[in-house]
């Protein structure tokens, strides 16, 4: 082996002094290139022992090559379309249309008031109702959202965090009205409130009662909704706020360690809930970097679960990844260019081994997707799946010196960053200090300055500009949506059993005072009494309080 290394080092030196030196003298390399010029066997562990230990086979520890043995040769990833706007009725019509176009799972976008636990008639909701997602004020809206869609036939992902317990209870209640038992429901609630404090901002309560709600959902689903993914940890939002790929992995995993420890401290067994933890990552346009990121994340997650928490089931070691293609790289200028950007992102996610994906529509930098642009986003996934051949081989870029070297670097760098957070006292302590928020802000600033200084090229924005706006149709939400929601709520409050509703809300508040009580049954009772989202969240607000952001600048 030593002799082989010597032969390769000698050959590399001859190349550096010969062809490379000649090429550089004639044409200097471009500036601001991020990675090395060339990667060889000298940059990776090429031993068989190293292969088995670090790369292995798909479906086996350390999961580098994928979570399933055959990956897409058996079944393609779940193809979703992130949708939600205006009223539940209008979003239901879009859901039904997308199902006819071949999506295999639904992904619900909620409007901003819903995400922070306010009804449509709250003063903070003015101008925001139905804008960035669907407005859900009560169980009545949730019933309309899934009317005609059998919940035992679809998998539903809900991008909801602070009010996740309320939305899950509403979904269960709708299922029961359809005659679907809770153990037949499949889907995911995002339920990752820690990343809201550091990257997104749709929080309600302080971190510690929020962690209690998360642990309550873990326990409740284990017993009542066993096929539900109880949490989808949001690496995506951390990255979209400006984090680097290493920070995306490390900060999200540090949050996960905190959730897991909270659940274990509450008496749960790691193998009873780890297999229902799922993830949402972004897929950026740097395709090769993304492939390495996903491989490194799978390997590091398996290591954390097996070595740190002692998980014994292979299903507990598996990183279940839903990818949403990056929205932050889409541009309002020359919007049709975004079709190519989304295609590259989706291809990287597939070659990186995602389990589920939602692709952005090209017009999302300008408005909510039209029916046509949403269809094109779905077709992008279908063409990659059925026509490109990229899904025919498991982990097709494995063995590339560049990919393997980059996978090793992402894993090592993320592991070091996680240890730094643990040394601070863990994710909650780091958030309370504002450390993670500050690190992301610094990274975002560096990236934005690179665009403004021209060190990073964005076609149509700082190079090859002009013809900024293509002639594309845009969707807009009618402001009358808020009036419709307010009238619906008034009618509901006159129609419901207000005695039972008030009793359910008071019982929920009382339960909040006892940390040993699981709140899910109390929330479900309030939902079934047609208490509104705002009323339920207020019942918890008055006990838990509200979070005030840490100033980091």
């Amino acid at each position: 082996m030593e002799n082989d290394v010597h032969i390769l080092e000698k050959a590399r030196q001859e190349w550096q002094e010969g062809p490379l030196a000649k090429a550089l003298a004639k044409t200097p390399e471009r500036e601001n290139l991020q990675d090395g010029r060339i990667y060889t066997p000298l940059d990776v562990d090429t031993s068989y022992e190293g292969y088995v230990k670090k790369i292995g086979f798909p479906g086996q520890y350390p999961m580098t090559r994928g979570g399933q043995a055959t990956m897409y040769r058996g079944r393609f990833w779940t193809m979703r379309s992130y949708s939600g706007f205006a009223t539940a009725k209008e979003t239901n019509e879009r859901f039904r249309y997308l199902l006819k176009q071949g999506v295999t799972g639904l992904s619900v976008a909620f409007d901003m008031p819903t995400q922070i636990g306010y009804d449509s008639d709250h003063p903070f909701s003015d101008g925001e109702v139905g804008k960035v997602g669907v407005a859900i004020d009560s169980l009545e809206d949730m019933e309309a959202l899934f009317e005609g869609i059998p919940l035992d036939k679809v998998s539903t992902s809900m991008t909801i965090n602070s009010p996740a317990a309320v939305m899950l209870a509403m979904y269960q209640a709708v299922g029961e009205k359809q005659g679907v038992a809770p153990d037949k429901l499949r889907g995911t609630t995002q339920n990752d409130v820690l990343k809201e404090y550091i990257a997104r901002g749709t929080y309600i309560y302080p971190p510690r009662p929020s962690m209690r709600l998360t642990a309550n959902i873990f326990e409740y689903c284990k017993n009542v909704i066993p096929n539900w993914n109880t949490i989808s940890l949001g690496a995506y939002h951390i990255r979209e706020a400006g984090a680097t790929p290493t920070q995306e992995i490390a900060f999200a995993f540090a949050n996960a360690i905190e959730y897991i420890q909270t659940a274990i401290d509450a008496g749960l067994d790691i193998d009873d809930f780890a297999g229902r933890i799922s993830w949402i990552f972004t897929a950026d346009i740097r395709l090769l970097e993304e492939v390495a990121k996903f491989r490194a994340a799978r390997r590091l997650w398996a290591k954390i679960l097996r070595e740190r928490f002692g998980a014994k089931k292979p299903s507990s070691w598996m990183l279940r990844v839903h990818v949403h293609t990056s929205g932050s790289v889409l541009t309002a200028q020359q919007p049709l260019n975004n079709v190519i950007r989304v295609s590259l992102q989706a291809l990287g996610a597939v070659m990186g081994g995602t389990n589920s994906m939602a692709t952005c529509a090209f017009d999302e930098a300008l408005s909510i997707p039209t029916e046509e642009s949403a269809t094109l986003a779905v077709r992008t996934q279908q063409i990659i799946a059925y026509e490109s051949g990229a899904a025919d081989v498991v982990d097709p870029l494995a063995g590339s010196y560049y990919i393997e070297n980059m996978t090793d670097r992402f894993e090592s760098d993320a592991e070091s960053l996680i240890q730094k957070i643990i040394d601070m006292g863990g994710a909650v302590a780091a958030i309370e200090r504002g450390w993670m928020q500050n690190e992301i802000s610094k990274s975002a600033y560096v990236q934005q300055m690179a665009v403004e200084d021209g060190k990073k090229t964005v076609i149509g924005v700082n190079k090859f500009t002009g013809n900024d706006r293509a002639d594309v149709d845009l969707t807009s939400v009618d402001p009358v949506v808020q009036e419709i929601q307010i009238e619906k709520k008034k009618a509901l409050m006159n129609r419901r059993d207000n005695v039972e509703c008030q009793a359910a809300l008071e019982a929920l508040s009382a339960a909040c005072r006892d940390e040993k009580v699981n709140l899910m049954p109390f929330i479900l009772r309030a939902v079934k009494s047609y208490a509104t989202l705002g009323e339920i969240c207020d019942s918890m607000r008055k006990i838990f309080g509200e979070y005030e952001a840490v100033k980091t600048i």
Side-chain angles (χ1 to χ4, degrees):
M1 179 64 79
E2 287 186 9
N3 191 43
D4 291 342
V5 171
H6 178 70
I7 291 171
L8 184 54
E9 288 177 335
K10 183 172 181 295
R12 183 172 66 177
Q13 184 174 355
E14 290 174 355
W15 171 75
Q16 289 172 334
E17 295 172 351
L20 176 61
K22 186 177 178 181
L24 291 174
K26 183 179 180 181
T27 309
E29 293 180 335
R30 290 177 286 122
E31 296 180 346
N32 307 315
L33 298 174
Q34 294 185 17
D35 291 316
R37 177 180 297 115
I38 187 173
Y39 292 82
T40 72
L42 296 172
D43 299 298
V44 297
D45 181 355
T46 56
S47 69
Y48 292 143
E49 182 181 2
Y51 176 87
V52 171
K53 181 179 179 182
K54 297 174 65 177
I55 302 174
F57 294 90
Q60 287 186 338
Y61 191 86
M63 305 283 182
T64 309
R65 305 201 65 176
Q68 292 86 29
T70 60
M71 289 300 289
Y72 311 132
R73 291 172 65 90
R75 187 177 74 85
F76 291 126
W77 61 95
T78 301
M79 299 182 198
R80 301 183 189 274
S81 179
Y82 184 56
S83 302
F85 62 98
T87 65
K89 180 177 182 295
E90 288 167 277
T91 298
N92 173 267
E93 291 170 356
R94 178 65 64 88
F95 281 170
R96 292 189 190 211
Y97 171 81
L98 290 168
L99 287 167
K100 288 179 181 176
Q101 303 311 308
V103 298
T104 51
L106 299 174
S107 184
V108 186
F110 296 96
D111 72 356
M112 197 56 70
T114 303
Q115 292 184 47
I116 51 180
Y118 290 125
D119 292 337
S120 296
D121 60 353
H122 193 282
F124 289 175
S125 301
D126 285 347
E128 293 292 338
V129 176
K131 286 289 179 62
V132 300
V134 61
I136 300 293
D137 288 338
S138 70
L139 175 59
E140 189 176 64
D141 286 328
M142 194 67 102
E143 291 166 355
L145 186 63
F146 292 102
E147 185 178 352
I149 301 174
L151 297 193
D152 56 343
K153 305 296 183 189
V154 297
S155 164
T156 301
S157 173
M158 293 193 278
T159 303
I160 195 75
N161 295 280
S162 292
V166 185
M167 291 298 121
L168 177 59
M170 287 185 182
Y171 195 79
Q172 179 184 338
V174 172
E176 290 176 1
K177 282 177 174 285
Q178 290 186 358
V180 179
D183 64 353
K184 303 298 182 190
L185 298 175
R186 294 179 297 114
T188 306
T189 35
Q190 195 161 88
N191 190 29
D192 175 13
V193 74
L194 288 183
K195 65 99 172 47
E196 297 295 326
Y197 302 115
I198 63 176
R200 197 159 172 270
T202 61
Y203 42 72
I204 302 176
Y205 320 109
R208 297 185 191 277
S210 295
M211 295 294 286
R212 174 188 172 187
L213 277 166
T214 299
N216 284 175
I217 291 174
F218 285 178
E219 182 183 35
Y220 182 79
C221 286
K222 177 176 79 73
N223 298 320
V224 181
I225 318 178
N227 294 315
W228 194 262
N229 294 319
T230 51
I231 188 169
S232 177
L233 282 131
Y236 178 89
H237 311 86
I238 293 169
R239 180 74 175 280
E240 291 287 279
T244 66
T246 299
Q247 290 172 331
E248 179 185 6
I249 298 172
F251 290 177
F253 281 11
N255 288 348
I257 289 170
E258 196 84 36
Y259 289 123
I260 290 173
Q261 193 59 56
T262 299
I264 290 173
D265 292 344
L268 299 183
D269 184 276
I270 182 69
D271 281 317
D272 282 344
F273 67 91
R276 303 314 311 181
I277 296 174
S278 65
W279 294 82
I280 175 169
F281 276 77
T282 194
D284 191 66
I285 198 168
R286 291 180 61 82
L287 183 152
L288 298 176
E289 188 175 88
E290 292 300 298
V291 172
K293 180 192 76 178
F294 290 123
R295 300 175 84 247
R298 275 196 299 271
R299 186 158 74 203
L300 181 55
W301 182 244
K303 182 179 178 181
I304 289 171
L305 268 289
R306 193 169 83 162
E307 297 185 11
R308 181 182 181 87
F309 291 109
K312 295 180 176 57
K313 292 181 180 177
S315 59
S316 299
W317 309 332
M318 191 188 301
L319 189 80
R320 293 169 178 77
V321 175
H322 168 73
V323 161
H324 196 111
T325 56
S326 173
S328 64
V329 306
L330 304 184
T331 64
Q333 301 91 335
Q334 302 180 13
L336 290 176
N337 294 346
N338 296 329
V339 175
I340 293 91
R341 293 188 176 104
V342 172
S343 300
L344 290 169
Q345 293 165 348
L347 184 60
V350 169
M351 292 199 290
T354 189
N355 305 102
S356 166
M357 181 158 56
T359 30
C360 289
F362 73 86
D363 52 359
E364 286 192 37
L366 296 166
S367 72
I368 292 169
T370 63
E371 199 167 89
E372 182 181 22
S373 68
T375 304
L376 181 58
V378 174
R379 296 286 181 259
T380 303
Q381 296 191 52
Q382 292 166 336
I383 289 170
I384 291 172
Y386 291 96
E387 298 185 22
S388 75
D392 293 353
V393 176
V394 179
D395 192 22
L397 296 185
S400 155
Y401 305 127
Y402 177 42
I403 291 293
E404 295 299 352
N405 177 277
M406 194 159 35
T407 300
D408 291 348
R409 280 187 282 135
F410 274 136
E411 181 193 13
S412 175
D413 292 349
E415 194 167 20
S416 297
L417 198 48
I418 291 169
Q419 187 58 51
K420 187 171 184 176
I421 295 167
I422 291 171
D423 291 342
M424 291 182 195
V428 170
I431 290 167
E432 289 174 339
R433 288 172 52 178
W435 184 80
M436 283 199 270
Q437 299 94 310
N438 198 39
E439 291 299 299
I440 293 171
S441 295
K442 288 192 290 187
S443 173
Y445 177 77
V446 169
Q447 292 180 52
Q448 184 58 37
M449 290 306 297
V451 174
E452 295 186 13
D453 293 345
K455 293 177 180 176
K456 178 180 179 180
T457 297
V458 181
I459 303 300
V461 174
N462 62 4
K463 198 163 189 173
F464 307 117
T465 57
N467 300 319
D468 281 352
R469 294 288 295 270
D471 185 17
V472 295
D473 294 328
L474 299 177
T475 298
S476 61
V477 175
D478 194 328
V480 79
V481 167
Q482 184 169 12
E483 297 174 25
I484 293 172
Q485 285 297 114
I486 291 172
E487 290 305 314
K488 280 169 53 184
K489 179 182 171 182
K490 286 180 181 174
L492 172 71
M493 295 181 79
N494 288 329
R495 197 169 59 243
R496 70 186 182 185
D497 181 345
N498 281 305
V499 173
E500 163 57 16
C501 183
Q502 191 58 38
L505 292 171
E506 290 175 1
L508 174 59
S509 290
C512 288
R513 294 188 176 92
D514 186 348
E515 291 187 1
K516 295 180 181 177
V517 173
N518 191 312
L519 298 177
M520 279 302 300
F522 295 89
I523 294 171
L524 182 63
R525 178 186 171 189
V527 161
K528 288 182 175 179
S529 75
Y530 288 89
T532 67
L533 170 68
E535 290 174 324
I536 295 170
C537 290
D538 282 349
S539 294
M540 293 189 278
R541 274 189 184 97
K542 65 184 182 184
I543 308 302
F544 294 151
E546 291 186 277
Y547 178 72
E548 293 187 12
V550 178
K551 294 180 180 177
T552 58
I553 297 177

